[in-house]
């Protein structure tokens, strides 16, 4: 089954085992052949089935949300259609949209491996590509990543200072939509209070673009078409959540999500030579120019950032001598640090859990109250976002491990201390000028979200890991 020209059900090695409960029921008309008979050739053709993102991603056996978005609205074909239609309109046409594209560093690193160029250069090449297609502005996600990290760290420190009953620990990372959707559908009130409330970088960028940046041009949110380039198909599901829909303007913070694979397909379909594309520097959301950020792991480095932030805020001293211990496998690690501020040594104990097998182990620890971690960086994909389902596949003469190693190296080349300094200045402008301060109601509304327990329709004892 294909969801778009680039997505195929292949290379699945970390998923819930299929069962009869995972199949969407199909109505059998009275008098028709038995449902157990499948005719491959011949016979009356049936209407083409339509599925939605909520049917197939993190499925719990049925459609569980009324706010479903057809996959055709979340594809490179739809993006090209909107861009072409907009490009044909006169500049003074009031119906002309402002087209904005935001590029994730994980996608830039993945595409860089395909075309053998540096990750930072790939971002400029992609900016040139989208400007050629008609985009008015192209951004990288560095500012949104920095804001998501900061809001997550502030959330953790607030929880650590409160009682366990009011703010349960461990706090679990919230940036992975596949993991969040699974938690909502399979574990509800047992796990949702543990998930941090900070929005992911994609959705923070959507809030900034639609509700603040557009004001520079006198544009309302529905007059802006926002595309993100991401490493994961579940990001399409995240963009379609009702929490990120503006009822007043009837628009989403992110209108279309395209993956690294879909960008590769677009480049192939249009016979574009990436090496000959004009390089264009990404635009800036603020007057303080900022650059690429790269904190720690391939999932933007939530564990590392929050650990250092917490050591400073809670114990007023830097985190030193991090101890990393691999547990079940390379995707389940424990990170501890001894914080010595003159008093007895106080340990901070964090962990990473990537892939659903490790997530299940973590959840069981939490439910049995045997989890002594304070924060866990949780991601649905093994090896995290750099290995997302929408990333570039290995060629015939390559292995998946080889490609991932290259992506990790290129991703690690992004960012520097000087660039992080520029980011701090840009963050100050966004918080102080746009949001009215870090603790303002505007900041809380635009940078945080909530989760919803969804009634489960499958027997959890049939799920195999």
């Amino acid at each position: 089954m294909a969801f778009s020209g680039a997505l195929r059900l292949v290379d699945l090695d970390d998923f819930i085992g299929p069962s009869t409960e995972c199949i969407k029921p199909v109505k059998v008309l009275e008098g028709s052949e038995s449902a157990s008979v499948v005719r491959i050739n011949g016979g009356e053709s049936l209407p083409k089935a339509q599925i939605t993102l909520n049917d197939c991603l993190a499925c719990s056996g049925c459609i569980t949300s009324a706010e479903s978005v057809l996959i055709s609205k979340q594809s490179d074909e739809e993006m090209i259609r909107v861009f072409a239609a907009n490009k044909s309109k006169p500049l003074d046409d009031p119906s002309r949209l402002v087209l904005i594209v935001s590029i994730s560093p994980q996608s830039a690193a993945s595409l860089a491996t395909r075309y053998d160029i540096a990750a930072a250069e790939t971002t400029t090449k992609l900016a040139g590509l989208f400007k050629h297609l008609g985009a008015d502005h192209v951004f990288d996600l560095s500012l949104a990543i920095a804001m998501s990290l900061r809001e997550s760290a502030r959330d953790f420190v607030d929880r650590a200072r409160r009682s366990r009953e009011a703010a349960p620990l461990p706090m679990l990372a919230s940036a992975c939509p596949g993991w969040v959707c699974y938690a909502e559908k399979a574990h509800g009130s047992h796990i949702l209070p543990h998930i941090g409330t900070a929005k992911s970088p994609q959705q923070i960028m959507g809030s900034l673009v639609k509700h603040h940046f557009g004001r520079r041009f006198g544009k309302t949110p529905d007059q802006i078409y926002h595309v993100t380039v991401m490493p994961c198909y579940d990001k399409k599901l995240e963009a379609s959540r009702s929490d990120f829909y503006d009822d007043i303007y009837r628009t989403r913070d992110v209108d279309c999500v395209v993956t690294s694979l879909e960008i590769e397909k677009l480049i192939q379909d249009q016979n574009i030579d990436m090496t000959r594309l004009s390089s264009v520097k990404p635009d800036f959301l603020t007057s303080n120019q900022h650059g690429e950020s790269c904190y720690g792991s391939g999932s933007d480095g939530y564990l590392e950032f929050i650990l250092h932030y917490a050591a400073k805020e809670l114990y007023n001293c830097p985190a030193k001598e991090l101890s990393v211990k691999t547990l079940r496998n390379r995707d389940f690690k424990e990170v501890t640090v001894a914080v010595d501020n003159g008093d007895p040594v106080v340990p901070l104990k964090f962990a990473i859990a990537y892939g659903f097998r490790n997530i299940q182990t973590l959840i069981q620890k939490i439910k049995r109250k045997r989890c002594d971690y304070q924060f866990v960086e949780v991601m649905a994909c093994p090896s995290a976002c750099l290995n997302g389902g929408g990333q570039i596949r290995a060629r015939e003469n390559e292995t998946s491990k080889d490609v991932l190693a290259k992506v990790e190296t290129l991703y690690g080349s992004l960012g520097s201390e000087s660039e992080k300094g520029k980011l701090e200045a840009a963050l100050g402008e966004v918080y102080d000028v746009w949001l009215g301060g870090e603790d303002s109601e505007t900041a809380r509304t635009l940078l945080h979200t909530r989760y919803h327990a969804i009634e489960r329709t499958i027997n959890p004892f049939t799920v195999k890991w």
Side-chain angles (χ1 to χ4, degrees):
M1 178 182 293
F3 302 113
S4 74
L7 176 58
R8 299 287 189 276
L9 292 182
V10 296
D11 300 329
L12 298 180
D13 60 0
D14 193 62
F15 64 105
I16 299 175
S19 68
T20 56
E21 288 82 1
C22 293
I23 298 174
K24 183 178 175 182
V26 177
K27 181 179 180 181
V28 179
L29 298 177
E30 185 177 356
S32 64
E33 294 183 346
S34 169
S36 63
V37 177
V38 179
R39 287 190 288 178
I40 304 299
N41 296 312
E44 182 181 356
S45 61
L46 298 175
K48 181 181 293 186
Q50 287 188 323
I51 59 173
T52 65
L53 291 172
N54 289 316
D55 293 333
C56 58
L57 294 176
C59 177
S60 68
C62 69
I63 300 173
T64 54
S65 172
E67 293 78 22
S68 297
V69 176
L70 288 176
I71 289 177
S72 61
K73 296 295 183 182
Q74 294 276 359
S75 65
D76 55 313
E77 289 89 351
E78 175 68 6
M79 178 190 71
I80 293 297
R81 186 193 68 78
V82 173
F83 274 44
N86 201 64
K87 202 172 184 179
S88 65
K89 296 178 180 179
L91 293 176
D92 58 352
D93 189 330
S95 67
R96 186 182 173 94
L97 301 170
V98 173
L99 304 181
I100 296 178
V101 180
S102 301
I103 303 170
S104 72
Q106 291 88 355
S107 288
S110 182
L111 287 160
T113 65
R114 173 61 77 238
Y115 302 106
D116 296 321
I117 52 181
E121 183 183 357
T122 302
T123 301
T124 64
K125 294 286 188 181
L126 291 174
L129 170 64
F130 286 115
K131 289 290 183 75
H132 172 72
L133 293 175
D136 297 290
H137 301 280
V138 179
F139 303 115
D140 64 55
L141 280 177
S142 57
L143 185 62
I145 291 171
M147 294 187 75
S148 183
L149 290 171
R150 177 175 291 194
E151 291 301 311
S152 296
R154 282 164 49 83
D155 187 1
F156 173 77
V157 168
D158 179 64
R159 286 169 182 253
R161 288 172 173 164
R162 297 161 64 190
S163 68
R164 290 295 181 102
E165 291 73 23
L169 294 177
M171 185 178 110
L172 308 176
S174 59
C176 173
W179 140 245
V180 169
C181 186
Y182 166 69
E184 288 181 322
K185 292 185 176 184
H187 298 285
S189 59
H190 294 289
I191 296 298
L192 297 186
H194 290 269
I195 302 179
T197 62
K199 288 182 180 178
S200 71
Q202 171 179 276
Q203 296 309 135
I204 284 181
M205 195 66 176
S207 295
L208 296 179
V209 162
K210 289 283 184 118
H211 299 282
H212 287 283
F213 186 76
R215 292 179 184 174
R216 292 186 182 182
F217 314 98
K219 295 290 185 179
T220 55
D222 59 318
Q223 294 173 315
I224 298 172
Y225 186 77
H226 183 206
V227 177
T228 59
V229 181
M230 303 301 293
C232 175
Y233 284 97
D234 280 1
K235 285 294 180 180
K236 298 172 185 279
L237 174 64
E238 180 180 42
S240 74
R241 288 177 68 94
S242 59
D243 304 273
F244 307 136
Y245 182 81
D246 189 322
D247 292 315
I248 297 175
Y249 293 101
R250 297 183 179 181
T251 185
R252 301 188 183 278
D253 293 340
V254 178
D255 298 287
C256 182
V257 179
V258 292
T259 64
S260 311
L261 272 175
E262 289 172 304
I263 295 300
E264 181 191 30
K265 172 180 173 292
L266 184 154
I267 292 171
Q268 291 174 346
D269 290 347
Q270 299 202 10
N271 296 317
I272 295 171
D273 185 347
M274 276 288 285
T275 60
R276 295 187 178 182
L277 269 176
S278 299
S279 295
V280 178
K281 287 187 177 181
D283 299 302
F284 301 101
L285 278 170
T286 65
S287 58
N288 289 296
Q289 293 189 351
H290 56 86
E292 293 280 1
S293 65
C294 184
Y295 297 96
S297 71
S299 54
D300 298 324
Y302 284 86
L303 182 148
E304 183 178 341
F305 185 90
I306 294 174
L307 191 152
H308 286 283
Y309 186 95
K312 181 179 179 181
E313 292 294 318
L314 296 175
Y315 306 112
N316 195 32
C317 65
K320 298 180 180 179
E321 299 180 10
L322 272 67
S323 175
V324 181
K325 180 181 179 182
T326 300
L327 301 179
R328 293 162 54 90
N329 49 65
R330 68 186 296 268
D331 284 323
F332 201 156
K333 296 179 180 179
E334 187 178 280
V335 181
T336 56
V337 61
V339 179
D340 189 355
N341 60 353
D343 296 324
V345 173
V346 180
L348 285 172
K349 192 173 184 180
F350 287 13
I352 64 169
Y354 299 157
F356 276 109
R357 290 185 179 90
N358 292 328
I359 289 173
Q360 183 71 356
T361 299
L362 171 67
I363 288 174
Q364 293 306 316
K365 284 178 176 284
I366 294 173
K367 287 186 174 182
R368 294 170 184 169
K369 300 187 183 304
R370 295 180 180 176
C371 184
D372 57 352
Y373 304 130
Q374 295 146 311
F375 173 81
V376 185
E377 182 178 295
V378 186
M379 300 288 157
C381 292
S383 299
C385 300
L386 291 178
N387 191 39
Q391 295 285 69
I392 301 301
R393 303 282 193 260
R395 292 174 175 173
E396 290 184 3
N397 59 340
E398 298 174 317
T399 67
S400 297
K401 289 184 179 180
D402 292 337
V403 173
L404 179 59
K406 291 179 183 178
V407 175
E408 289 173 343
T409 299
L410 288 164
Y411 178 81
S413 69
L414 293 171
S416 64
E417 290 304 316
S418 61
E419 295 293 341
K420 292 176 184 178
K422 294 177 184 178
L423 272 174
E424 288 299 317
L427 282 172
E429 179 177 333
V430 172
Y431 277 111
D432 296 339
V433 178
W434 287 11
L435 303 179
E438 289 186 347
D439 297 314
S440 69
E441 183 61 30
T442 301
R444 180 70 192 176
T445 300
L446 292 184
L447 304 181
H448 290 261
T449 186
R450 56 185 177 178
Y451 312 104
H452 317 277
I454 299 173
E455 182 178 356
R456 183 166 52 198
T457 59
I458 63 173
N459 182 349
F461 296 105
T462 65
V463 176
K464 299 178 181 179
W465 297 91

